[in-house]
Amino acid sequence: MKSLDSTHAPDLKSWVASADDHRDFPIQNLPLGVFEPPGEDARIGVAIGDSILDLRAAATAGLLPASVQLAAREPRLNALLALPATERRALRADVSRLLTDRAHEILVRPMLVEAKGCRLRNPASIGDYTDFYVGINHAVNVGRLFRPDPPLMPNDKYVPIGYHGRASSVRPSGEPVVRPRGQIKPAPDAPPVFAPSGKLDYELELGLWVGPGNALGQAIPIDKALDHFAGACILNDWSARDIQAWEYQPLGPFLGKNFHTTISPWVVTAEALAPFWIPQPPRTADDPQPLAYLSDAGDQTAGALAIELALSISTARMRAGGLAPQVISRAGADTMYWTVAQIFTHHASGGCNLQPGDLIGTGTLSGKTREAFGSLLEISSNGRQPLTLPSGETRAFLEDGDEVVIVARASAPGAASIGFGECRARILASQSEP
Ligand code: MN
């Protein structure tokens, strides 16, 4: 899973000229996705520079390993994600060879489509979406706002906290987000009203794609957890804080979060991420050790990911005035208190079956300072300290017309840096009263 091969060589070059030093999609990345060329149907592709390799065409031409031929012709990634990592690695090796060896150029060039103009879809049919809460700084910051003494719940350092989200409203980058309406308390001792959310927020998260699943009733051992991890994306868990605050007790988030979730549409595969595993930050002396089913020495040595995320905002006025989007949140995936392996193992530990194409959010990733907070809830202290933007406007929470873009990048010494593409969406005004 974490082994490097010739596809990761930092000096590897593609004959696709735009791939050289491409911000997101150099030859070392080769993320999988589903795209529609203008006026055509959806098919699987691999991003390379400013182009997309049509994997269905490559499979039809017999250019891919026999074991992936059928799965590569599906309109979604689920069948490919179901294959063991060895098959994904064989696919990656062949695609890398097709795009680097000039002998293949004459055959493969017609299978390249210019990415601009293609519509990117959700990469998989998402059966289930789960959101975790493993960003430790986020948990502390939010806890301080609502329960200062103590900010963390007693279970936070024992249990990778999560909840089951809504798969139907997970949408690819670019789809606008309609401001939700819901029950909101105008004042602590007033009855609720049904109104558009006044506290619409984003959450800066990493998304994790499930590859091969586990059978119902069969847990996933921690040392096998990454066999089920197929890749990652960027995830924005839009949150209506006022709806959430009134509804969340006793069962947790519901309508405050299920109206929309935006993902970056490319699956940066577990193979592409191989160079970017780093040690999990050690627990402090005061912290309990994880229970045995979540403990693995190898996971602690190389179970965190060297991925940095950055979130920018532009308001309608900023865009009209030609002002650049302003970065307001940056955090690293090393702020996760629990590793990818621990998340997968915990999710299945009671017997829950994960399935290929399931999506798991990490939870909001926040650093320790205001510039690094991964939500406006934290940045504005629940609205008390609005942020000032370059246009002079202030924001406690998102307003209609605001556009939020998250980008992410994996970097490591001696490795070619790779990106995730974009996770972008604009806020639309709430729909009229039903
Ligand atoms: Mn979340």
Side-chain angles (χ1 to χ4, degrees):
M1 179 61 69
K2 295 174 180 172
S3 59
L4 301 189
D5 56 38
S6 60
T7 66
H8 300 99
D11 56 352
L12 195 65
K13 297 280 184 208
S14 172
W15 49 258
V16 179
S18 64
D20 278 357
D21 302 318
H22 193 274
R23 183 187 69 159
D24 289 319
F25 309 128
I27 185 67
Q28 292 84 0
N29 193 345
L30 305 176
L32 298 165
V34 169
F35 73 107
E36 282 175 12
E40 296 185 41
D41 60 340
R43 78 278 314 258
I44 295 172
V46 173
I48 177 73
D50 295 331
S51 297
I52 301 172
L53 171 64
D54 184 335
L55 219 55
R56 185 174 73 186
T60 304
L63 297 175
L64 302 181
S67 55
V68 307
Q69 290 280 3
L70 277 180
R73 278 186 258 186
E74 294 281 322
R76 289 284 185 273
L77 284 177
N78 298 71
L80 259 184
L81 297 177
L83 296 173
T86 47
E87 309 298 349
R88 286 201 315 269
R89 202 172 299 128
L91 171 64
R92 174 180 168 86
D94 275 12
V95 169
S96 179
R97 196 158 37 240
L98 291 172
L99 294 171
T100 50
D101 186 344
R102 284 219 172 253
H104 299 297
E105 181 179 351
I106 193 157
L107 202 56
V108 174
R109 189 171 282 284
M111 299 171 186
L112 290 178
V113 184
E114 199 182 353
K116 195 167 57 183
C118 288
R119 181 170 173 194
L120 296 169
R121 311 301 301 251
N122 275 350
S125 174
I126 302 167
D128 278 296
Y129 158 53
T130 305
D131 198 24
F132 275 82
Y133 194 66
V134 309
I136 189 72
N137 300 319
H138 174 73
V140 170
N141 292 336
V142 173
R144 277 200 191 114
L145 287 172
F146 298 108
R147 301 176 302 271
D149 196 26
L152 283 182
M153 303 292 276
N155 55 6
D156 269 331
K157 293 186 170 176
Y158 287 98
V159 183
I161 302 290
Y163 71 98
H164 285 115
R166 183 76 189 170
S168 67
S169 54
V170 176
R171 297 304 163 97
S173 178
E175 278 199 36
V177 174
V178 176
R179 178 180 301 273
R181 288 172 174 259
Q183 285 201 24
I184 294 161
K185 294 262 279 177
D189 44 8
V193 296
F194 188 78
S197 170
K199 289 189 169 182
L200 183 55
D201 200 356
Y202 59 79
E203 289 193 340
L204 179 75
E205 303 194 19
L206 201 61
L208 311 172
W209 290 101
V210 175
N214 60 302
L216 184 68
Q218 201 164 66
I220 297 176
I222 183 80
D223 62 339
K224 297 279 188 286
L226 292 186
D227 294 351
H228 300 268
F229 170 58
C233 65
I234 304 164
L235 187 149
N236 186 341
D237 174 26
W238 303 99
S239 300
R241 302 301 181 191
D242 38 10
I243 299 172
Q244 185 183 357
W246 170 232
E247 73 175 2
Y248 86 104
Q249 286 174 318
L251 282 185
F254 187 41
L255 307 185
K257 282 170 176 284
N258 71 0
F259 55 93
H260 202 121
T261 302
T262 303
I263 55 171
S264 61
W266 292 107
V267 177
V268 176
T269 64
E271 292 67 50
L273 291 171
F276 307 107
W277 293 100
I278 53 175
Q280 173 68 357
R283 293 185 165 213
T284 66
D286 300 339
D287 285 359
Q289 286 307 302
L291 298 186
Y293 78 103
L294 294 173
S295 296
D296 180 70
D299 184 41
Q300 292 303 303
T301 307
L305 281 163
I307 298 173
E308 296 289 326
L309 299 94
L311 180 145
S312 62
I313 185 172
S314 72
T315 68
R317 194 192 298 177
M318 286 168 70
R319 292 191 299 276
L323 292 170
Q326 175 80 1
V327 174
I328 57 172
S329 296
R330 323 177 159 268
D334 61 352
T335 57
M336 290 164 62
Y337 189 76
W338 300 95
T339 65
V340 173
Q342 287 171 322
I343 286 171
F344 275 58
T345 290
H346 181 68
H347 201 317
S349 61
C352 170
N353 53 322
L354 305 182
Q355 302 192 94
D358 283 357
L359 177 64
I360 298 175
T362 55
T364 309
L365 302 178
S366 286
K368 287 185 189 288
T369 59
R370 194 184 190 214
E371 305 73 48
F373 291 169
S375 68
L376 283 170
L377 175 70
E378 294 162 85
I379 293 173
S380 73
S381 291
N382 194 19
R384 289 191 290 273
Q385 297 170 327
L387 187 72
T388 302
L389 296 171
S391 55
E393 296 168 281
T394 59
R395 283 293 181 274
F397 291 98
L398 297 169
E399 296 193 8
D400 296 343
D402 288 355
E403 184 169 76
V404 173
V405 181
I406 311 176
V407 295
R409 162 163 300 280
S411 313
S417 178
I418 61 174
F420 282 66
E422 277 188 347
C423 181
R424 174 191 296 267
R426 195 174 288 188
I427 307 301
L428 298 185
S430 178
Q431 287 171 341
S432 57
E433 201 84 47

